[in-house]
Amino acid sequence: MGQRQRQRRTKTGVGNGGTAALAALSALGLMATLAGCGASETSGPGVTLKLVAADYGDSEANSSQKYWDAVVKAYEKKTPGVDVDVSVYSWNDVDRRIKEMVAAGDPPDLAQAGTYADYASAGRLYEVDDLLSIPVQAGFLPQLADSGKVRRVAYGMPFAASTRVLFYNKKLFAEAGIDSAPRSWSELAADAQALDEAGVETPYALPLGPEEAQAETMQWLLSGGAGYTDDVGTYRLDSDENVRTFTWLKNKLVDKGLTGPTAPAELNRADAFTAFARGEVGMLNGHPSLMRMAADQGVEYGTAAMPGYDGREHATMGVTDWMMAFKQNGHGEEIGDFLDFVYSDENVLDFSREYDLLPVTASASEEMAASSRDAGLAPFLDELPSAALYPVGKTSWADVSAAVKEQIGRAVRPGAKPGVVLEQLQQTATVADRE
C-alpha cells in the first residue's frame, strides 16, 4: 500500500479530494477492505498530529516554541482539518520525554531530537520513502540523508546541522605575537605556549566534561586521521591513531597547563563558550552559535579549519539532529504533508538563521551561501560537504556516546595512560554493538 500512496499523493494537503473519496467508500461499507492496507493513514478531517521537539533557544524570547507556533499556524491555515500540537522540551529532557511516551504506549506522531536508530530498529518508525514527496526527499544534502539510514533504509530525516571550526581571539593572539591561526598540532601547541606566556588564562579550552565530550573527542580524533569507527563502520576507539591523539593532548597541552584552570574532565562546552565570550580563552573548537555569543560581548574572533596532526586538513566534525515519525497512530499521509511543508526552503532558512545553524537541504544551503546576511556562516558551510558525522545509524551509539562523555576526560588526567582509557571504551563499544 505504501508504494501506491506515494504515487497518488499530490502533497497539497488533506482537502484535495481524498476526503470525499473516503467518505464515499465508508458509505459503501468498503472501509474494512482498506483496513489491511493502511486505512488509518488517510483518516481525513479532524486529525491532530502530536510533535515533540527540542528547544534550540537560550531564553524564552527565542524559544523554539515560537518558531513551531508560527510554522503550525501557517500550515493549519492552508490545510483545514489537520491540527498540529507541538510540545517543546530542553535538550536535557527531550530524549527522556520521548522515551517515556513510547514506553507508556503513547508515542508522538513526530519527534525531533538527537537520535532515531533505536526506534527504527524496533520497527516503530515510518520509512522516509513512505512519508516525503520525492522532491523533498531528494533535496536533503546526501551525506546527511545517508546518516539517517539503518541497514540501508532511511528512517531519520536530518533537521538541523552544524560543523565545528577553530575559533581564536584576535586580540589575545596579537598580544602574544601570533599573526595567524595554527595549521598543525605543533603550531597549535606553540601558539598555546605563547598565549600562556602572555598571561592568557586558558590558551586552549578542552571541554571533555559530561555535557558534550563526545563532540570535542570526535573532532580531535578526526584531526588525528581516524575517528570513532573505521571505513566499514566498526568501532575502533583504541586505534593507534586515536591513542596517538590523546597521548599528544595529554603531553603537549594538558600536562603543560595550557588548557586552563579547570580540568578538561570537568569543563563543559557551554562553560568553555562562555569563557571565550568573556575574552578569557585563546582558542577552542566551536559551532556557529559561538559567533553571536562572542560578538554580543565585543570579542573580535577569527575562525579556521581545525589543525591536523601533520599540517594537512582532515575531516571536520558535523552534527545533525533528526526528525522521525512513529507509525503507531497512523496518519502517514498527514505526517508526510506536514513534513513537506516544514522542509520548504523558507522554513528551513528561517530556522537555520534564528539559531545559527546550517540548512539540511541543498537548495537552502545554496541560498544561504549566496546571501550576504549569512556571510558569517560561510566557514561552516564550507566544511559541511566533507564533514564526518556521529555513527547515529548504529543502535549502540547512544550507549557509546554516554560512555565517552563519562570516561574520556580520565584519559588526560595526571598519571593517566590514554591508551588504557581508550581500550576500556572500545570494550564498551564492542559489547554495545553486539546487543
Side-chain angles (χ1 to χ4, degrees):
M1 187 65 177
Q3 184 62 36
R4 289 177 58 201
Q5 287 171 344
R6 289 198 300 277
Q7 288 174 347
R8 66 180 169 80
R9 242 186 297 168
T10 61
K11 292 297 181 183
T12 56
V14 174
N16 60 3
T19 301
L22 285 175
L25 286 170
S26 180
L28 291 171
L30 295 179
M31 288 304 287
T33 303
L34 289 176
C37 196
S40 61
E41 296 193 4
T42 53
S43 50
V47 170
T48 297
L49 301 178
K50 293 183 179 180
L51 166 62
V52 171
D55 194 352
Y56 290 79
D58 54 17
S59 67
E60 186 176 345
N62 70 342
S63 168
S64 294
Q65 188 71 56
K66 290 189 174 182
Y67 168 80
W68 283 112
D69 286 348
V71 169
V72 167
K73 182 179 180 180
Y75 179 74
E76 291 178 348
K77 182 177 180 180
K78 86 173 193 67
T79 315
V82 179
D83 297 326
V84 184
D85 181 15
V86 182
S87 299
V88 172
Y89 299 100
S90 75
W91 276 105
N92 293 329
D93 298 326
V94 65
D95 288 322
R96 175 179 57 81
R97 294 301 293 262
I98 295 168
K99 188 174 183 179
E100 289 173 350
M101 295 171 73
V102 172
D106 186 28
D109 299 285
L110 291 153
Q112 184 270 303
T115 187
Y116 66 89
D118 284 353
Y119 301 117
S121 293
R124 297 183 179 276
L125 302 182
Y126 281 106
E127 294 181 18
V128 176
D129 280 352
D130 291 330
L131 295 172
L132 299 181
S133 64
I134 292 173
V136 171
Q137 188 176 351
F140 290 131
L141 292 168
Q143 73 275 24
L144 304 186
D146 286 345
S147 290
K149 296 178 179 179
V150 174
R151 294 184 290 274
R152 296 189 295 275
V153 177
Y155 295 96
M157 292 158 276
F159 182 75
S162 68
T163 55
R164 300 292 197 271
V165 299
L166 184 75
F167 280 75
Y168 60 96
N169 185 309
K170 289 185 174 181
K171 179 175 181 290
L172 297 181
F173 264 48
E175 292 174 349
I178 307 169
D179 57 12
S180 62
R183 292 168 295 178
S184 66
W185 286 3
S186 59
E187 289 182 3
L188 187 148
D191 290 348
Q193 185 65 50
L195 289 164
D196 181 64
E197 293 171 358
V200 176
E201 185 173 88
T202 303
Y204 180 86
L206 183 66
L208 297 178
E211 178 195 2
E212 205 183 29
Q214 84 285 1
E216 184 73 12
T217 297
M218 183 170 174
Q219 183 58 74
W220 276 100
L221 298 184
L222 291 170
S223 71
Y228 285 120
T229 62
D230 60 18
D231 292 340
V232 296
T234 302
Y235 287 115
R236 290 288 184 266
L237 280 84
D238 61 347
S239 68
D240 291 344
E241 294 89 348
N242 291 347
V243 172
R244 176 187 64 192
T245 294
F246 267 83
T247 300
W248 185 91
L249 278 172
K250 181 179 184 302
N251 293 343
K252 300 298 185 180
L253 293 184
V254 181
D255 286 354
K256 291 187 176 182
L258 302 178
T259 55
T262 303
E266 300 170 6
L267 181 64
N268 282 325
R269 186 266 309 164
D271 296 328
F273 278 20
T274 299
F276 185 85
R278 289 197 303 260
E280 299 169 359
V281 174
M283 298 176 280
L284 82 170
N285 284 320
H287 55 63
S289 67
L290 183 55
M291 296 189 304
R292 186 179 302 185
M293 291 178 63
D296 287 347
Q297 297 296 319
V299 172
E300 188 178 359
Y301 64 87
T303 61
M306 176 66 183
Y309 76 97
D310 53 3
R312 296 182 300 169
E313 288 190 14
H314 293 270
T316 191
M317 187 190 73
V319 176
T320 303
D321 300 324
W322 301 96
M323 180 72 75
M324 54 188 160
F326 287 88
K327 295 191 296 186
Q328 181 169 315
N329 301 325
H331 310 319
E333 287 282 341
E334 292 84 358
I335 291 171
D337 190 71
F338 176 64
L339 288 175
D340 274 5
F341 183 78
V342 167
Y343 283 109
S344 69
D345 280 355
E346 179 182 0
N347 287 328
V348 169
L349 284 167
D350 283 349
F351 183 85
S352 300
R353 285 166 170 159
E354 176 65 28
Y355 300 108
D356 294 320
L357 293 166
L358 305 181
V360 296
T361 65
S363 55
S365 294
E366 291 169 1
E367 184 171 341
M368 178 174 279
S371 173
S372 59
R373 66 181 288 191
D374 301 310
L377 289 169
F380 302 92
L381 283 168
D382 290 343
E383 297 282 3
L384 189 57
S386 60
L389 306 178
Y390 295 133
V392 291
K394 298 170 74 70
T395 57
S396 56
W397 171 242
D399 290 337
V400 174
S401 176
V404 171
K405 290 180 183 180
E406 181 181 347
Q407 299 177 37
I408 194 62
R410 296 192 290 109
V412 296
R413 285 178 176 170
K417 295 182 178 180
V420 172
V421 175
L422 290 169
E423 287 174 5
Q424 293 170 343
L425 285 168
Q426 176 61 34
Q427 292 172 5
T428 298
T430 300
V431 172
D433 215 25
R434 290 172 180 166
E435 295 178 351

